[in-house]
Amino acid sequence: MGRWLRGFALATAAALCGGCGQSDGRPVVRFIVQPDAGGGYRAVVEKFALARPDILVEMVEGPASTDSREEMYIGAFMAGDSPYDVVLMDVIWVPKFAAQGWLLPLDDRFPSQARDAFLPGDVRAGIWDGRCYRVPLRSDAGMLYYRSDLVPDPPATFEALAARARGLKTADRGGFVFQGRQYEGLVCAFLEVLWGHGGDVLDDSGAVVLDSPEGIRALTWLAGLVGDGAPEGVTTYQEEEARAAFQEGRAVFMRNWPYAWAKLQEDGSPVKGKVGIVPMVHAEGRESAATLGGWGFGISRTAKFPDAAWAFIEFATAPEQQKLLNARNGAIPTRRALFEDPEILARHPHYPELFRVLLAARPRPVHPQYSRISQSLQRHLSAALVKSETPEEAIRKAAGEIRGIVGK
Amino acid sequence: MKRLLPVAVAAMAAFSLGPFLWSALTSLKPADELFRVPPTWIPRSVSLDNYRDVFAQRPFARYMVNSLFVAGLSTILTLAAGAPAAWALARLRLRWSAAIEKGFLAFALFPPAVLLVPLFVAARDAGVLNSRIGVAFVHAALNLPFAVWSLTSFFRAFPADLEDAARVDGFSRAGVLLRVVFPVSAPALAATAILVFIFSWNEFVIALTFLTRDELRTVPVGVAMLSGVTAYDIPWGQISAAVVVTTLPVVAAVLAFQRSIVQGLGAGAVKG
Amino acid sequence: MGSRSRYLWLLPSAALLGVILALPLLKGLAGGVPGIGDALRDPAVGRAAWNTCLFAGISVPLELGLGLAFALLLNRDFRGRGLARALAILPWALPTAVMALSWRWIFSDSWGIANDLPRALGLLEEPVPWLGRPGTAMAALIAADVWKTTPFVTLILLAGLQGVPSDLYEAMSLDGAGPVRRFFWVTLPLLRPSIALALVFRLIQALGIFDLVWVLTGGGPADATRTISLEAYDSVFRHLEPGRGAAVTLLAAAGMFAVALVLGALARGRGDA
């Protein structure tokens, strides 16, 4: 029976699967992408097929959730001999994947002269341990949205933002909304406050400096808003909850990614034409900073045809293709020059302000153990927001845990 | 007691239906009504756009066929392998039956997330990635501990004298199982089959990582692929519509199946 | 038929488990053995284990109670019973991850019906961010899980009830026993194996809960809903430490096994265990 079962399984599988993974001898380049609702990625792959008929690019659409797609890549890498040759990576995956030896260094193919054409933060996020592993495809960074009809002159400092948020809130309108649920988005929102206060998680040598006076001030400011200048429910908010609250007119200020802009300005949106964007505010005498998001291409170390993979990456990140992805999927370009492109500016008149934000964008702590650092931050930031730890306690505990993780 | 019955049934229906009804109503709301405060209970303007978009964005008919195939095959495999084992454990006075039963249970203790990578390696080496049959076999194995325990428990309740009588009538053991035990235990078989079927229908992680070609994907993976233009926005109305469209037929099918199996096998028992 | 050949009945299932699960399990878990000591001392694991036990300890008894009530109800004869049975299965048939998303909306402080309904009834004055406070988040999680998995219990117990011979009831009725006595003297003892079955598997499922938490709260706020399988999952897929994930899983599995066997045996009663 056992043999029969196995035989049956193999035979039927072979029959059903005959031909899968096989090509007609051309090099195959395979990668996972988010669901291509706008059709931009498909268009890029089709254009590439015309330009390079000698290479077959297979685009696998994964689930909308970033976590699920990361799981697909990690599962394949852990199994060894990954079927994915090109890795379309979130910024925070790079050090983790590179430290595992899953990625091919791209320094020769993507030298510093070529990198200069891209946004500096996006390039920096692709470098780990002195080597470059990622070519930026689309950028992303957090910023401050405000209701231009209620706030003619946007605040520049944390004090001013908190004062306005408290002053302008009403019974059915909160002041400031952000991502306050215990998840990665909370870390992104907090880092902007931390950097704006002049603090950081790790310094340039990699030592933990989170529990500086600036760090404590930053969390005191953010946690102090919850239930006051920010609705208590903000501790359940992800991007969409914040966006919906702002769009329905129930918030004056919002921390969010650039994607919200298009939704807020849609026909029928209650706040259409009443929205402005600026970089996140900063403390007196400090500078604004934005948390960098975004996606880029790397090459798997087990790629059978790295040259073919590179040919595709070079093609897909070229200006023409970035414009196509911008038009179809709203992807924010990573090439500086495109922010002066007349076609793009005609479609997105707010891009000059966005460009300012992107230039101030900083990667999250670049460390192979970033996911553990982030988990520790999430735990204690959330505790401070729901008042089960004081801001000082939370910062000290998180710093202690992170010291244990990075060993410095 | 008699008068309370309708009240109790209504309460149960409200409990079971309530949250689902909320999703169903959400699926009929146009995008700008989703986040109204306070929420509108009955959509102010009913729109079928979400239903249209679901099918425009993803081949859901295809996904349903795939899910039906995977879940159906895995249910058959589970029962075909599990019923004889359960029968042996319940009736044949095996010396190790208690230990064997606990051994089956041990396999139920490990979440697919931990098994995923080694399973993926095994499937790749056997060449069954991108094979729905491969996924059905994995689901069957994952379901087997429950099926064996469930059927063992019901077979134990089966009156032994009925079985002995049948043996005296000259039935072989297999004959007794097929002609006497199964018909009498039809409700238990049906309940087990339904639970196993729905488990497989809803399984996500294995289906996601094993089946990467879109034409092979199953419903839960398909729902996870519904997306707005950007990674952040959640197409709430469409997801609700997809759930309504894919779940109602399953429940209907499952019940039709239960009725026919109970009646069919039950009728067999009377004749036998 | 010889005594050895009786074991042939087990062959198909043994083959299925052996070929598909046994080797991956060994490979996946062997790496966890060295890490067991560290995992035992890890406060994060302890916290997650406590949350998991709290969750299972409250939700499983609720599900058993409700499931038993529903099964008794659905076993009676009334018009529309088929439809009622369909409705009773519905929550189980909905994909967990998707329905968890629905629950997130239901519990929202602004547009959630879990705030709107009590406010319309005058039970709440201020909206409550159910998922945003440690205590209410766990309660919300339990509510969503009870809703989702009660049908599992209902279905098993209903099948068990259908096995209870009706002549026993008739005999008891002739003796003048009321419905309450009949329930405790006939129904409950005969249902014991089914109750044990539902209990064992619901416990295992509840102690391994993942999807629902993942989508509903992500383990927050302040780790109040972080469960043991979230801990294991993060180790494997977020932190790339499969060894730690396997160690946590082994510990959890050992605990689950012990609890399930003991409670299962108790529920089944001494004679049958």
Side-chain angles (χ1 to χ4, degrees):
Chain A
M1 187 81 177
R3 210 180 312 148
W4 178 84
L5 270 182
R6 199 177 340 181
F8 174 71
L10 290 177
T12 40
L16 265 185
C17 198
C20 60
Q22 301 292 310
S23 75
D24 37 19
R26 287 184 290 171
V28 181
V29 174
R30 195 178 292 116
F31 69 105
I32 304 171
V33 66
Q34 69 182 87
D36 189 20
Y41 288 99
R42 198 165 299 114
V44 168
V45 169
E46 280 163 11
K47 274 182 75 179
F48 183 73
L50 291 177
R52 289 294 300 269
D54 56 320
I55 299 173
L56 179 67
V57 173
E58 267 182 35
M59 172 180 109
V60 175
E61 283 178 277
S65 137
T66 302
D67 288 325
S68 293
R69 297 203 303 281
E70 188 183 10
E71 202 175 295
M72 289 173 78
Y73 274 126
I74 289 180
F77 278 129
M78 280 187 166
D81 198 20
S82 156
Y84 307 110
D85 318 87
V86 161
V87 192
L88 184 51
M89 288 183 285
D90 192 355
V91 273
I92 53 173
W93 299 357
V94 177
K96 178 158 86 173
F97 286 14
Q100 293 282 330
W102 292 344
L103 300 175
L104 215 56
L106 301 177
D107 301 83
D108 300 339
R109 295 186 163 104
F110 187 46
S112 9
Q113 313 86 277
R115 295 176 206 164
D116 289 343
F118 291 81
L119 292 163
D122 289 77
V123 170
R124 238 184 329 139
I127 296 174
W128 185 71
D129 206 13
R131 310 193 107 180
C132 182
Y133 292 95
R134 172 183 177 271
V135 184
L137 176 69
R138 54 187 300 178
S139 192
D140 216 356
M143 55 195 188
L144 184 67
Y145 290 78
Y146 65 97
R147 284 283 297 277
S148 52
D149 55 331
L150 301 172
V151 187
D153 54 326
T157 63
F158 288 110
E159 294 76 37
L161 172 57
R164 295 278 185 85
R166 292 190 175 107
L168 286 168
K169 71 164 184 181
T170 60
D172 44 31
R173 184 176 68 206
F176 176 50
V177 292
F178 60 96
Q179 290 79 47
R181 174 176 139 125
Q182 183 177 345
Y183 82 119
E184 182 64 29
L186 172 58
V187 177
C188 295
F190 171 71
L191 284 176
E192 285 160 8
V193 179
L194 178 67
W195 289 331
H197 276 90
D200 207 340
V201 180
L202 307 176
D203 68 8
D204 290 340
S205 74
V208 178
V209 292
L210 174 66
D211 45 353
S212 61
E214 289 84 9
I216 293 169
R217 272 207 293 280
L219 186 54
T220 306
W221 181 83
L222 192 67
L225 280 176
V226 175
D228 181 15
E232 194 200 342
V234 81
T235 55
T236 65
Y237 284 12
Q238 295 191 192
E239 285 83 359
E240 273 295 85
E241 284 89 346
R243 200 265 304 163
F246 189 84
Q247 188 153 354
E248 291 293 317
R250 284 180 299 101
V252 185
F253 299 100
M254 167 174 73
R255 185 271 169 200
N256 215 328
W257 306 95
Y259 88 95
W261 179 269
K263 296 244 155 196
L264 299 173
Q265 300 291 4
E266 250 167 26
D267 287 333
S269 158
V271 296
K272 183 176 181 180
K274 304 176 191 165
V275 184
I277 50 173
V278 282
M280 178 49 76
V281 293
H282 51 81
E284 209 57 63
R286 304 287 188 177
E287 294 204 351
S288 293
T291 302
L292 182 80
W295 295 81
F297 286 119
I299 301 181
S300 156
R301 200 179 276 276
T302 56
K304 283 176 200 73
F305 309 102
D307 291 327
W310 176 253
F312 174 69
I313 292 175
E314 206 174 20
F315 181 86
T317 53
E320 277 312 300
Q321 278 61 252
Q322 289 206 4
K323 277 175 81 170
L324 186 60
L325 283 171
N326 178 264
R328 296 272 182 96
N329 295 25
I332 297 162
T334 52
R335 289 180 174 271
R336 294 160 178 261
L338 291 177
F339 289 87
E340 288 162 15
D341 183 275
E343 273 175 59
I344 288 187
L345 283 177
R347 208 163 32 232
H348 307 289
H350 66 294
Y351 266 28
E353 285 96 52
L354 178 60
F355 188 53
R356 279 210 303 144
V357 172
L358 293 171
L359 284 178
R362 295 165 62 169
R364 283 159 266 178
V366 180
H367 194 280
Q369 299 275 15
Y370 171 72
S371 64
R372 288 178 67 202
I373 296 173
S374 168
Q375 189 182 329
S376 172
L377 281 169
Q378 290 172 32
R379 173 184 305 139
H380 295 291
L381 295 175
S382 171
L385 260 47
V386 299
K387 320 262 190 271
S388 62
E389 286 172 9
T390 67
E392 191 171 344
E393 231 181 310
I395 288 285
R396 291 203 194 288
K397 284 188 181 169
E401 288 177 12
I402 296 169
R403 283 201 180 90
I405 295 165
V406 303
K408 277 191 192 173
Chain B
M1 198 66 184
K2 271 267 154 59
R3 258 174 295 152
L4 273 179
L5 189 66
V7 181
V9 171
M12 189 201 70
F15 173 86
S16 304
L17 197 59
F20 175 75
L21 204 61
W22 186 243
S23 289
L25 288 173
T26 301
S27 74
L28 297 172
K29 290 180 186 175
D32 58 346
E33 208 182 312
L34 288 176
F35 297 105
R36 281 285 153 74
V37 179
T40 50
W41 289 30
I42 306 297
R44 242 173 256 168
S45 51
V46 171
S47 148
L48 291 176
D49 287 0
N50 289 320
Y51 288 86
R52 190 200 56 206
D53 292 348
V54 159
F55 285 94
Q57 208 186 106
R58 290 281 151 201
F60 264 91
R62 181 83 233 181
Y63 293 159
M64 284 183 78
V65 171
N66 291 335
S67 273
L68 212 59
F69 177 82
V70 169
L73 177 60
S74 86
T75 306
I76 292 169
L77 288 168
T78 310
L79 291 183
W87 177 245
L89 289 171
R91 274 283 170 263
L92 295 187
R93 290 183 212 92
L94 304 176
R95 191 201 269 174
W96 301 105
S97 70
I100 293 170
E101 220 179 317
K102 291 183 180 84
F104 274 112
L105 188 66
F107 279 95
L109 300 169
F110 303 96
V114 180
L115 288 170
L116 185 62
V117 173
L119 271 177
F120 185 84
V121 173
R124 188 195 54 202
D125 294 349
V128 293
L129 286 181
N130 276 319
S131 149
R132 291 168 302 177
I133 292 179
V135 173
F137 267 86
V138 174
H139 286 177
L142 291 172
N143 264 323
L144 195 62
F146 168 72
V148 169
W149 268 60
S150 168
L151 295 175
T152 305
S153 144
F154 288 116
F155 288 161
R156 281 219 177 94
F158 184 80
D161 35 342
L162 242 174
E163 184 195 338
D164 294 340
R167 293 277 282 165
V168 171
D169 284 354
F171 280 108
S172 68
R173 273 221 171 82
V176 174
L177 193 60
L178 287 175
R179 308 283 284 277
V180 182
V181 180
F182 282 179
V184 175
S185 350
L189 279 173
T192 308
I194 289 171
L195 291 173
V196 163
F197 181 90
I198 291 178
F199 165 86
S200 171
W201 179 272
N202 285 341
E203 195 281 330
F204 178 73
V205 181
I206 307 273
L208 168 70
T209 38
F210 280 35
L211 306 172
T212 54
R213 280 161 48 190
D214 203 39
E215 69 271 21
L216 298 178
R217 282 195 163 118
T218 59
V219 168
V221 179
V223 174
M225 310 243 340
L226 288 172
S227 127
V229 174
T230 69
Y232 301 107
D233 69 81
I234 301 170
W236 185 233
Q238 287 179 31
I239 290 176
S240 303
V243 171
V244 172
V245 162
T246 54
T247 304
L248 289 182
V250 180
V251 173
V254 156
L255 277 149
F257 160 79
Q258 185 195 26
R259 189 168 294 181
S260 73
I261 203 171
V262 170
Q263 280 170 356
L265 285 175
V270 175
K271 269 181 261 156
Chain C
M1 195 184 253
S3 70
R4 287 264 176 76
S5 63
R6 293 173 177 185
Y7 286 90
L8 281 176
W9 292 79
L10 296 171
L11 204 61
S13 50
L16 200 55
L17 288 179
V19 172
I20 293 170
L21 285 189
L23 209 62
L25 258 176
L26 279 178
K27 271 206 249 171
L29 296 173
V33 176
I36 287 184
D38 284 343
L40 266 173
R41 281 187 294 274
D42 192 333
V45 174
R47 176 79 200 269
W50 163 249
N51 287 339
T52 311
C53 291
L54 187 68
F55 169 80
I58 299 177
S59 59
V60 172
L62 287 174
E63 288 150 19
L64 282 178
L66 265 178
L68 179 60
F70 288 179
L72 289 170
L73 200 57
L74 290 172
N75 197 37
R76 297 178 68 111
D77 246 327
F78 57 87
R79 248 167 34 130
R81 187 170 71 170
L83 185 65
R85 284 184 179 176
L87 290 181
I89 300 181
L90 188 65
W92 177 255
L94 292 162
T96 314
V98 180
M99 204 50 217
L101 210 55
S102 296
W103 281 104
R104 224 168 90 195
W105 256 250
I106 288 172
F107 286 125
S108 154
D109 60 328
S110 332
W111 50 82
I113 197 160
N115 269 302
D116 202 47
L117 185 63
R119 267 199 290 179
L121 297 175
L123 297 171
L124 271 184
E125 292 200 349
E126 286 292 300
V128 176
W130 296 106
L131 300 173
R133 297 176 185 165
T136 54
M138 179 56 96
L141 196 63
I142 290 172
D145 190 64
V146 167
W147 180 77
K148 160 89 193 172
T149 54
T150 293
F152 180 86
V153 180
T154 307
L155 221 60
I156 290 179
L157 297 188
L158 186 58
L161 281 173
Q162 286 164 342
V164 174
S166 48
D167 41 345
L168 261 176
Y169 274 120
E170 282 154 26
M172 287 280 289
S173 298
L174 288 179
D175 287 350
V180 177
R181 273 195 64 187
R182 265 187 312 201
F183 174 74
F184 281 103
W185 287 86
V186 180
T187 315
L188 210 52
L190 284 169
L191 263 189
R192 278 190 121 165
S194 307
I195 292 175
L197 174 72
L199 174 69
V200 166
F201 278 87
R202 270 309 304 146
L203 260 179
I204 291 178
Q205 292 164 4
L207 292 170
I209 180 132
F210 180 76
D211 297 29
L212 187 65
V213 195
W214 186 248
V215 178
L216 206 55
T217 65
D223 273 359
T225 57
R226 197 171 167 77
T227 61
I228 202 85
S229 54
L230 242 68
E231 196 64 35
Y233 172 89
D234 275 347
S235 291
V236 179
F237 287 104
R238 289 281 94 75
H239 314 327
L240 306 184
E241 295 170 333
R244 183 174 183 272
V248 171
T249 307
L250 277 172
L251 278 177
M256 280 153 72
F257 200 46
V259 172
L261 284 183
V262 169
L263 288 183
L266 283 178
R268 234 187 293 184
R270 233 168 292 150
D272 208 36

